[in-house]
Amino acid sequence: MTEQELITSVIRPEIRALTAYKVADASGFIKLDAMENPYTWPEEIKVEWLKALHDAEINRYPDPEAKSLCRILKEYNQIPADSDLLLGNGSDEIIQLLLMALPANSTVMAPEPSFVMYKQIAQCLGLNYQGVPLLADNFELDLDATLATIKKQQPEIIFLAYPNNPTGNLFDNEAIEQIIQQSKGLVIIDEAYAPFTDFSFIQQLKKYTNLLVMRTVSKLGLAGLRLGFIAGNPAIIRELNKVRLPYNINILTQVSVEFALKHPEMFAEQTNTICTERARMFLQLSVIKEVTPCPSAANFILFRTPTDSATEIFQRLKEQGILIKNLAPQKGLLNDCLRVTIGKPEENNAFIKALKTALQAC
Ligand SMILES: *Cc1c(COP(=O)(O)O)cnc(C)c1O
């Protein structure tokens, strides 16, 4: 048997057709590609954190329900008392859990462009994926097309990133409410960028049984710990919990996130600084005539570049030591788009300077 025959016989065709999620090697670069918080912790907080870790019993399995962490997450995120939480190894894992629970041949719907993992995981699991294009001029939901698709395909699950990645905008919330009301399946509002906006659907959880709100600590500043959660109707959370592996949140993550969230003022200060920088960067990009930034409620800015030059500009930034995200390979509405994560002021300045140089050379 050849290697190819072996692969064909043991790997499903939909998986063979996929390409793995690629992450660029960032060593040596100013890293503005992955929506990370650029700030670490003051030394005295690190010392306290290590004390908390010192007492973690790593010879024991972690609390399978992470009860203590759940309490703190509910409080920190103002989750209604009658909603329950499911935790995941990053919200990526929660997307996977949700989709693994669906009946065979289910349909997964999301606007496009949006977070690529919705489609990637749906395809990996052999589900039907249905993208609905956003409006080209402002990346807003095409409500008529969305409602028509809901009516026709009755998707079991709809993902709406709020704010959306990679566009950064908050979709119209009345449009979202209509989608929730007209959907017979679950609607997941993915609030990965909640730390950078005051808008949220968390308080709507009381109103709709088919609504779930997903969040993560990654963009807040704890991407390395891998913790996401989804909040909603306890009866639905109970079912999803059956799909979850018992010890998916390791003890170091449980202890560390619990510790971190006892310092809300530290995160508030960091995210405030990032939001101030976002406004400054937006202005700086607005005055560069070759590019057009899109308004953002997240910790990144998507900007349009001259026709068919995004990849070249991306490369020229790299040559100057700046790594951002090139969205041109995703084609469609993103063909002329680059996305930059908001970093520290000096990193942002270096980016703007390098961008001007890159544009001159084009
Ligand atoms: C970054 C991101 C996630 C993934 O978060 P993790 O918790 O790090 O897995 C989920 N949804 C959106 C929209 C994101 O941008």
Side-chain angles (χ1 to χ4, degrees):
M1 192 190 257
T2 67
E3 184 183 83
Q4 198 47 51
E5 283 165 345
L6 176 63
I7 288 172
T8 309
S9 64
V10 299
I11 307 288
R12 290 197 305 276
E14 58 268 27
I15 293 175
R16 278 185 270 129
L18 289 173
T19 35
Y21 186 80
K22 265 214 306 283
V23 179
D25 179 8
S27 42
F29 287 99
I30 293 183
K31 193 172 184 314
L32 302 175
D33 67 328
M35 284 78 103
E36 292 144 332
N37 174 339
Y39 300 104
T40 54
W41 301 351
E43 194 54 34
E44 65 275 15
I45 293 195
K46 282 192 184 168
V47 169
E48 255 187 86
W49 168 48
L50 291 179
K51 275 192 219 148
L53 285 178
H54 183 273
D55 296 329
E57 292 186 27
I58 55 169
N59 55 319
R60 305 285 179 200
Y61 282 105
D63 175 358
E65 285 150 29
K67 288 179 287 294
S68 169
L69 176 58
C70 278
R71 260 195 309 277
I72 288 185
L73 283 171
K74 274 187 94 164
E75 191 186 313
Y76 185 84
N77 292 279
Q78 296 168 25
I79 311 282
D82 51 5
S83 294
D84 273 355
L85 291 192
L86 171 86
L87 305 192
N89 189 327
S91 39
D92 287 348
E93 190 193 35
I94 295 177
I95 300 167
Q96 190 184 46
L97 290 176
L98 285 162
L99 299 189
M100 286 198 301
L102 295 178
N105 299 316
S106 287
T107 296
V108 177
M109 192 178 116
E112 270 184 336
S114 190
F115 187 46
V116 293
M117 294 312 285
Y118 309 144
K119 182 178 183 179
Q120 173 93 6
I121 298 172
Q123 289 179 332
C124 192
L125 292 170
L127 300 164
N128 306 312
Y129 172 81
Q130 181 63 55
V132 180
L134 294 172
L135 299 177
D137 49 342
N138 59 1
F139 297 122
E140 186 50 81
L141 289 168
D142 183 340
L143 187 60
D144 291 341
T146 305
L147 295 180
T149 310
I150 291 173
K151 207 165 166 196
K152 191 155 155 244
Q153 308 223 18
Q154 302 279 339
E156 277 70 14
I157 207 162
I158 299 172
F159 287 100
L160 296 171
Y162 184 81
N164 189 37
N165 172 12
T167 56
N169 57 315
L170 288 159
F171 298 136
D172 179 69
N173 51 3
E174 303 223 333
I176 295 180
E177 291 225 23
Q178 285 204 43
I179 291 169
I180 299 168
Q181 285 162 7
Q182 300 206 16
S183 166
K184 295 198 170 73
L186 294 175
V187 178
I188 315 301
I189 306 294
D190 180 350
E191 297 188 350
Y193 298 96
F196 311 100
T197 175
D198 294 330
F199 292 91
S200 169
F201 273 80
I202 283 205
Q203 295 313 315
Q204 312 289 71
L205 284 170
K206 298 177 215 154
K207 207 162 137 193
Y208 301 111
T209 32
N210 64 334
L211 170 67
L212 295 164
V213 176
M214 184 165 72
R215 287 190 174 185
T216 172
V217 299
S218 295
K219 310 311 171 8
L220 179 68
L222 302 169
L225 293 176
R226 310 303 301 132
L227 181 80
F229 66 87
I230 192 162
N233 183 321
I236 295 169
I237 298 291
R238 197 178 313 128
E239 296 303 319
L240 293 172
N241 245 315
K242 300 175 190 172
V243 187
R244 184 179 65 80
L245 295 173
Y247 304 111
N248 64 330
I249 312 300
N250 76 71
I251 191 166
L252 300 180
T253 296
Q254 291 192 27
V255 170
S256 301
V257 176
E258 218 183 303
F259 169 81
L261 296 186
K262 285 178 185 155
H263 297 273
E265 61 306 321
M266 177 177 72
F267 289 107
E269 194 187 323
Q270 294 180 351
T271 54
N272 276 335
T273 308
I274 292 167
C275 289
T276 306
E277 277 296 290
R278 173 180 72 199
R280 189 177 71 90
M281 287 275 275
F282 185 84
L283 276 177
Q284 298 254 317
L285 285 166
S286 303
V287 296
I288 301 176
K289 68 174 189 309
E290 296 92 339
V291 304
T292 312
C294 305
S296 170
N299 63 339
F300 59 85
I301 296 177
L302 184 83
F303 59 99
R304 295 181 203 267
T305 59
T307 309
D308 291 331
S309 60
T311 298
E312 191 180 340
I313 295 168
F314 169 76
Q315 283 302 343
R316 289 185 192 277
L317 285 167
K318 260 185 101 172
E319 284 159 18
Q320 298 175 81
I322 315 272
L323 183 65
I324 64 169
K325 177 81 175 176
N326 180 14
L327 294 160
Q330 292 187 34
K331 296 282 191 315
L333 293 183
L334 297 175
N335 190 52
D336 299 315
C337 292
L338 296 172
R339 185 190 69 200
V340 61
T341 300
I342 308 300
K344 294 178 180 171
E346 60 273 24
E347 296 175 322
N348 302 333
N349 290 342
F351 158 73
I352 293 285
K353 185 161 174 274
L355 178 63
K356 287 177 179 166
T357 307
L359 287 167
Q360 267 164 16
C362 274

